[in-house]
Amino acid sequence: MKKITKVVLTSFLFIASFTVMRAENAGNAPSNIIDIDKNAFLEKVFNYEKNTESWVYEGSTPCIISFYANFCGPCRRLYPTLTEIAREYGDKLIIYRVNVETEKELAAAFGIQGIPLLIFVPVKGKPQAVTGILPKENIENIVNSFLFGIE
C-alpha cells in the first residue's frame, strides 16, 4: 500500500509541477512565439505540398522553427532561452513552435529524428537546422550571422 501511495503522490507532484510550468510559460510568452499546426505551417512558413522541388519561405520576417514535445526535458529547458530571444529581437524575429506529439505529419515531413530541433529560416535562401539544446549565445550568433547577416 505504501508503494502505491508513493507512486500516486510522485505522479501527482510531477503532473502538478508540469501544469504550473506550462501555465507560467503560456502567460509570459511574447507575441512573437507562436504555436502552429500543419495548416498554419503551410500558410505562414513553407507549403511543402505545393512547393515540392525547393524551399520557399512564405513569410517576410526571419524565423526560428522549434520542433519540441512536452515530455522532452531539453525542450522544456530551451523554452526560456527562446522566450528571452523573442523578447530581445521583438518584431524582427518570429519563433514558431511545432509540437511533434500533436503534429506527427509535420514531424514526418521533415524527417525529425531528434528534439529539440531548431530550424533557422532566413527570408531568402535555404534554412539551417540544429538538433539539441544550445546556449543562448550560440542561438544569438546563428540569428545574427545567418538570419541577419551581422558578423
Side-chain angles (χ1 to χ4, degrees), residues 7 11 29 38 40 43 60 64 66 102 104 116 126-127 132 140 146:
V7 169
S11 298
K38 178 190 172 195
E43 178 186 325
S60 58
I64 299 172
S66 173
T102 57
K104 291 179 171 86
K126 294 185 182 216
E140 288 174 326
F146 183 67

Side-chain angles (χ1 to χ4, degrees), residues 29-34 85-87 89-96:
S31 62
N32 56 335
I33 294 184
I34 302 166
I85 288 170
R87 284 196 175 102
Y89 286 89
D91 61 0
K92 293 184 282 187
L93 178 70
I94 298 171
I95 299 175
Y96 292 111

Side-chain angles (χ1 to χ4, degrees), residues 1 8 26 28 36 51 62 69 88 91 105 112 121 123 151:
M1 185 67 171
V8 169
N28 296 326
I36 59 172
N51 300 305
E88 289 171 13
D91 61 0
E105 186 178 334
I112 306 292
V121 183
V123 174
E151 291 298 323

Side-chain angles (χ1 to χ4, degrees), residues 9-120:
L9 182 59
T10 303
S11 298
F12 174 76
L13 290 174
F14 174 77
I15 292 168
S17 66
F18 182 70
T19 303
V20 168
M21 181 185 75
R22 287 198 64 195
E24 287 172 356
N25 286 341
N28 296 326
S31 62
N32 56 335
I33 294 184
I34 302 166
D35 290 320
I36 59 172
D37 60 10
K38 178 190 172 195
N39 292 331
F41 189 93
L42 294 173
E43 178 186 325
K44 296 177 180 189
V45 181
F46 171 51
N47 189 335
Y48 56 87
E49 294 176 337
K50 181 176 83 176
N51 300 305
T52 57
E53 298 298 316
S54 64
W55 174 272
V56 177
Y57 180 46
E58 302 291 341
S60 58
T61 302
C63 75
I64 299 172
I65 306 162
S66 173
F67 286 89
Y68 76 100
N70 291 329
F71 67 80
C72 170
C75 299
R76 290 194 309 268
R77 287 194 310 273
L78 182 61
Y79 184 77
T81 301
L82 293 177
T83 301
E84 287 178 31
I85 288 170
R87 284 196 175 102
E88 289 171 13
Y89 286 89
D91 61 0
K92 293 184 282 187
L93 178 70
I94 298 171
I95 299 175
Y96 292 111
R97 291 183 357 122
V98 177
N99 185 333
V100 298
E101 293 175 285
T102 57
E103 297 302 324
K104 291 179 171 86
E105 186 178 334
L106 267 176
F110 284 90
I112 306 292
Q113 297 293 315
I115 53 174
L117 172 73
L118 297 177
I119 300 177
F120 297 87

